[in-house]
Amino acid sequence: MGEEEKPMQKQHQNSIESFSAMKSSIKQAVQVISSLISLSHSIKVFNVKWQLIRKKLEEMSSGLMAVGNCDSSENAAAFSDVVPSILATVNECYDLGRRCVDLSYSGKLLMQNDLDVMVAKFDLHVKNLSGIYTAGVLSHGFAIVVSRPGFGACKDDMRFYVRDLLTRMKIGDIEMKRQSLVNLYQLMAEDERYMKLVALEVSDIVKLLVDFLDSPEMEIQEEASKIVSLISGFDLYKGVLVEAGIIGPLNRILETGSNLGKEGAVRCLQTLTVNSDNAWSVSAHGGVTALLKICSSGDFGGELIGLACGVLRNLVGVEEIKRFMVEEGAIATFIKLTRSKEEIVLINSMELLQNVASGEESVRALLRISDPKSSTSSKTREVALRAIENLCFPSQNCINTLMNYGFTDHLLFFLRNGEVSLQELALKLTFKLCGTSDEARKTMGDAGFMAELVKLLDAKSCEVRERAIEALSSLVSVPKNRNRFISDDRNIHFLLRLLDQEEGISGNKQLLLSILVSLTSCNSGRRKIASSGYLKYIEKLAEAQVSDAKRLVRKLSTNRFRSFLSRLWHS
């Protein structure tokens, strides 16, 4: 061995010995800190002071363990002065803790002062550790990997692990921060108990997550956005995020973040903007413009656009924001989105349209989606039909547009062939359309609605039967439809059979009688009712003082039919 190599070997040996000594002192410090934390839980006085001290102790313990478990000797010099100083302060605090447990201190004010001094010392130690880490002494290459607590672990173990992750987020390099965020997300997604720890019990962590949303490192920003989105899904913790100032950073991600970051931000905003106060905050930070830009851009996938529409749907409930959206060209954007093949985009854009739009172009967009010939799903058609109901039925102009563009054909198809939910919705809209005008009723009569409604009079669902009877009653009020209905001999006989089956004086029975009364306005209607074989039943209802039955008897007892009926009733 050369003479020059001996000093280097000796220096390396000294470094190893120094590092070994440092690890030993760190281990001792961690043990004393752990013992003091346990002791602090049994202290019944100065609770606030000891909670603050305990928080500082946990932060120091995580930091020291991160160094003590690394494989590099490069840290020895940096920590040679810090660890003994920490150990001395912890021992000093341990003495104060003993005196608080035994209530052997000389005075409250003096002990409060001593505890304040201790908090200040611990705070300084935490800052010194953070400064050393920030300088790059601790890197991901030799970072400790603390074992995650198993399922059913005690709260102290869970809290310690979360605080350890918090320390890494504060002091680690970029990769350590990212991995800590990944681990935290997995914790919270798999075990809701960690949600309360993160949101309420481990101070600074939510604020740090919010700060990470503004990180220039996209990976850090993306992981943080996933976590805050997860937290926002719990009503109990939404206020914690808002108080931490999350709205501004989320809006900035919408403008400059990655697609993955945008998705996390939008998910979070969708849950937060259910509260109208937060809606105002989003608007004030420029969120409406950013969301509309996402919706109108061809650079984003359907999932992100659908989520952005979901946020705007929450915001549109504020009238001033709604006006701003219209001024920014939102209607044209949403109409364009109704051509999307993504179901989430289709549904959310339709719901937005019904909230902000009116006019022929919007109606035609919804009609195109509800068309049975379109390739959209049943769920999407249902949303389109509901949007048509909300958007069009309050306006006669929109009703006219519906009629001009074949809406009755859509309804008739769903009455005949639709799935149960679509059929019921189509029946509801059929009834509403019957009530709009005689012209609409004539068109529906010509299209064949009455035959489909008659079939539904025998449905299992009481609600379906009732709505079908109501719609049929409206349609036969038009003479042309009434004549068409009477021309089929089976129709009147079917109504009378249903009337006989109805128990008691139900609402359906009253409507059936009302329809029959309407049908007696023409001779052929009276003849078919009179010769049906149900006259004695109708007379029995009239004797029971059922008003429409009495009217029906009077209608059938005109001069022309009196002798004919007399023979029938007394045969």
Side-chain angles (χ1 to χ4, degrees):
M1 182 179 294
E3 293 297 322
E4 293 181 358
E5 292 179 353
K6 288 181 179 180
M8 293 178 63
Q9 186 183 35
K10 186 175 181 179
Q11 183 179 1
H12 179 67
Q13 183 65 32
N14 290 340
S15 177
I16 292 174
E17 291 174 358
S18 177
F19 178 64
S20 178
M22 183 202 72
K23 290 188 72 171
S24 178
S25 63
I26 286 176
K27 184 177 180 181
Q28 181 186 2
V30 170
Q31 288 174 343
V32 176
I33 289 173
S34 179
S35 178
L36 179 54
I37 289 172
S38 297
L39 177 69
S40 71
H41 286 291
S42 63
I43 297 173
K44 306 300 182 184
V45 292
F46 308 110
N47 288 334
V48 175
K49 303 287 185 187
W50 280 106
Q51 285 175 8
L52 188 54
I53 289 173
R54 192 157 49 242
K55 172 195 165 187
K56 299 297 180 184
L57 289 170
E58 288 170 347
E59 289 181 4
M60 284 193 302
S61 181
S62 295
L64 289 170
M65 288 177 69
V67 181
N69 285 269
C70 71
D71 295 326
S72 172
S73 60
E74 298 173 7
N75 297 323
F79 286 92
S80 60
D81 295 329
V82 173
V83 177
S85 178
I86 289 175
L87 189 55
T89 305
V90 172
N91 284 328
E92 184 182 348
C93 187
Y94 200 98
D95 178 61
L96 294 178
R98 263 291 150 220
R99 287 157 56 191
C100 285
V101 170
D102 300 337
L103 302 178
S104 58
Y105 48 86
S106 56
K108 286 187 177 181
L109 291 178
L110 182 59
M111 178 54 74
Q112 283 181 342
N113 182 67
D114 289 342
L115 293 175
D116 286 336
V117 171
M118 204 54 56
V119 170
K121 286 184 177 181
F122 284 137
D123 193 48
L124 183 59
H125 290 317
V126 171
K127 288 179 179 177
N128 287 338
L129 284 172
S130 181
I132 294 170
Y133 296 141
T134 304
V137 173
L138 183 63
S139 66
H140 183 72
F142 47 85
I144 178 180
V145 179
V146 176
S147 297
R148 171 181 167 176
F151 186 78
C154 69
K155 198 169 186 179
D156 285 342
D157 287 346
M158 294 166 60
R159 187 185 291 107
F160 178 81
Y161 185 69
V162 171
R163 286 198 178 281
D164 181 74
L165 291 177
L166 173 61
T167 300
R168 294 165 191 285
M169 292 178 208
K170 287 182 176 179
I171 65 178
D173 60 8
I174 292 172
E175 178 55 26
M176 185 186 292
K177 285 182 169 71
R178 188 197 68 79
Q179 189 58 53
S180 297
L181 289 166
V182 169
N183 291 345
L184 183 61
Y185 178 80
Q186 290 174 347
L187 273 182
M188 298 168 67
E190 295 171 10
D191 190 341
E192 289 184 12
R193 294 180 301 162
Y194 283 98
M195 195 69 64
K196 184 177 180 181
L197 281 174
V198 170
L200 300 178
E201 296 188 20
V202 179
S203 59
D204 297 339
I205 195 165
V206 170
K207 184 66 173 70
L208 183 61
L209 290 169
V210 171
D211 290 341
F212 279 161
L213 296 176
D214 280 323
S215 172
E217 303 296 334
M218 287 294 108
E219 288 185 337
I220 302 298
Q221 186 185 98
E222 289 167 359
E223 295 300 333
S225 71
K226 286 168 59 179
I227 295 174
V228 295
S229 175
L230 197 61
I231 297 172
S232 71
F234 293 78
D235 290 339
L236 185 62
Y237 309 129
K238 289 178 182 178
V240 176
L241 293 173
V242 174
E243 288 173 10
I246 197 172
I247 301 294
L250 289 175
N251 280 317
R252 288 190 285 275
I253 290 179
L254 297 183
E255 296 170 353
T256 62
S258 66
N259 284 7
L260 191 58
K262 283 182 169 72
E263 186 172 318
V266 172
R267 286 184 188 279
C268 191
L269 285 172
Q270 188 168 11
T271 57
L272 293 178
T273 51
V274 172
N275 183 316
S276 60
D277 291 338
N278 295 337
W280 273 114
S281 184
V282 171
S283 178
H285 283 89
V288 176
T289 301
L291 290 163
L292 286 172
K293 186 176 180 181
I294 290 173
C295 291
S296 60
S297 172
D299 299 333
F300 304 112
E303 183 73 14
L304 178 57
I305 294 174
L307 290 168
C309 285
V311 181
L312 290 169
R313 187 180 57 201
N314 291 341
L315 301 180
V316 79
V318 180
E319 190 62 33
E320 290 81 353
I321 296 177
K322 174 179 171 180
R323 283 200 297 269
F324 177 75
M325 287 168 61
V326 173
E327 291 168 3
E328 291 290 296
I331 294 176
T333 296
F334 301 147
I335 289 174
K336 181 180 178 182
L337 290 178
T338 61
R339 297 185 179 276
S340 171
K341 295 180 180 179
E342 300 274 357
E343 188 171 86
I344 186 175
V345 177
L346 265 175
I347 290 174
N348 285 341
S349 60
M350 283 189 293
E351 290 179 347
L352 273 166
L353 263 182
Q354 76 178 63
N355 282 301
V356 302
S358 59
E360 184 172 318
E361 194 172 2
S362 301
V363 176
R364 288 174 65 182
L366 294 172
L367 281 170
R368 186 182 66 251
I369 297 165
S370 70
D371 192 334
K373 299 185 186 70
S374 70
S375 59
T376 53
S377 67
S378 293
K379 179 182 177 183
T380 304
R381 287 197 184 99
E382 282 184 45
V383 175
L385 290 175
R386 288 194 179 93
I388 287 171
E389 178 186 7
N390 295 329
L391 178 63
C392 302
F393 278 85
S395 164
Q396 187 58 49
N397 287 336
C398 288
I399 294 292
N400 294 339
T401 302
L402 288 176
M403 302 296 290
N404 291 338
Y405 288 96
F407 182 58
T408 52
D409 294 337
H410 299 181
L411 289 182
L412 193 58
F413 178 89
F414 294 132
L415 285 177
R416 287 171 174 163
N417 310 297
E419 297 175 8
V420 173
S421 57
L422 265 175
Q423 186 185 58
E424 290 180 355
L425 184 54
L427 179 58
K428 178 183 178 183
L429 294 177
T430 296
F431 170 66
K432 295 190 79 167
L433 194 59
C434 286
T436 57
S437 67
D438 277 349
E439 193 60 40
R441 287 189 282 273
K442 289 176 185 176
T443 301
M444 295 170 76
D446 292 341
F449 274 81
M450 289 187 295
E452 300 308 318
L453 292 172
V454 168
K455 293 175 186 176
L456 293 174
L457 295 181
D458 209 16
K460 291 181 179 179
S461 167
C462 182
E463 185 178 352
V464 168
R465 293 199 304 271
E466 182 176 339
R467 188 150 278 162
I469 293 172
E470 289 173 339
L472 186 61
S473 176
S474 179
L475 287 179
V476 298
S477 65
V478 176
K480 183 179 179 182
N481 292 341
R482 194 160 52 238
N483 292 334
R484 186 191 301 274
F485 185 83
I486 293 169
S487 66
D488 188 336
D489 293 343
R490 295 168 297 179
N491 288 336
I492 289 180
H493 186 271
F494 185 60
L495 291 182
L496 287 165
R497 180 169 64 81
L498 288 177
L499 180 67
D500 193 19
Q501 291 174 351
E502 281 286 335
E503 296 181 4
I505 309 300
S506 66
N508 286 355
K509 179 169 286 189
Q510 297 284 12
L511 282 169
L512 287 169
L513 284 168
S514 176
I515 293 173
L516 290 167
V517 169
S518 176
L519 297 178
T520 58
S521 61
C522 60
N523 292 337
S524 59
R526 290 197 296 273
R527 262 197 314 272
K528 289 180 179 181
I529 295 172
S531 60
S532 66
Y534 286 93
L535 289 176
K536 289 185 177 180
Y537 176 69
I538 296 171
E539 186 181 38
K540 182 178 177 181
L541 290 177
E543 291 172 353
Q545 301 301 310
V546 176
S547 58
D548 277 332
K550 292 168 69 176
R551 287 180 60 205
L552 187 54
V553 169
R554 283 197 299 272
K555 289 273 189 178
L556 294 171
S557 300
T558 57
N559 291 334
R560 179 179 296 184
F561 289 95
R562 190 169 294 154
S563 59
F564 172 65
L565 290 174
S566 178
R567 290 195 302 272
L568 282 173
W569 287 344
H570 296 95
S571 61

